[in-house]
Amino acid sequence: MPTVVLVHGAFAGCSSWNGVIANLKRRGYPVIAVANPLRGVQKDAAYVRALLDSLPGPVVMAAHSYGGLVMTEAAAGAPNVKALVYVASVSPDVGESVIGLLSKFPGSQLATSINMVPIPSDDGGMTMDQYIVQEKFPEVFAADVDLSVAEIMAAAQRPPSAGAQEEGVTKAAWKSIPSWALITTQDRGIPADLQRFLADRAGSTTVEIAASHAVAVSQPDAVADLIDTAARATARSMQLSKSRQR
């Protein structure tokens, strides 16, 4: 079975995949939830690509939110990556960034919910990290998650650097790797219309679900189902290719 590599997005961490991981493990998949650094698309993609290059056998990748940019960059040219699954996410083309994509369609509440926190940068200066204001987090990010859980998520959120939201991709893996997309119709982070536009452009196989941006937490079984669908389709394609080679 392929290894499933999960890439979390901004304002979340590996634990956001816990329910998805449990489901996939029950199905027999080896799973790795990679700790996305959230420092910038190129740095993050290099980190994820190093992990991909260490894995034997086929890989199915799934990414949430900003993680879609990282996956799109990191998977390009990786021979072992056989499928991409975008979960309430974006599938950017070359040069596109989070900020640029969110400006294409109305509906995102992220821009009005961010608290900027100055932090030291690698060059000795200062940069900014971004947090969703905790009081706004449940409504904007996790409206269909139990409030007590959403409040814990708000307190434990992992901030992206401001630069991560502004940096574009230089490669687009979906142009050469089959893709699937889970579109969340109640999303206040990445509007459903933007998700549909990107999925259509990428030729992704799509499933729509009434869920918030935090769908991996609120409906992990639906996320795992789509990843399983992508993995099974990939396995059939590989078997067919081997049969033709004989």
Side-chain angles (χ1 to χ4, degrees), residues 148-159:
S148 62
V149 175
E151 289 175 340
I152 293 172
M153 293 170 63
Q157 63 183 290
R158 288 199 47 215

Side-chain angles (χ1 to χ4, degrees), residues 125-139:
M126 298 296 291
T127 186
M128 292 287 183
D129 266 3
Q130 298 181 332
Y131 291 84
I132 298 175
V133 175
Q134 288 197 27
E135 292 74 18
K136 294 184 177 182
F137 189 98
E139 176 185 356

Side-chain angles (χ1 to χ4, degrees), residues 72 75 80:
T72 297
N80 56 337

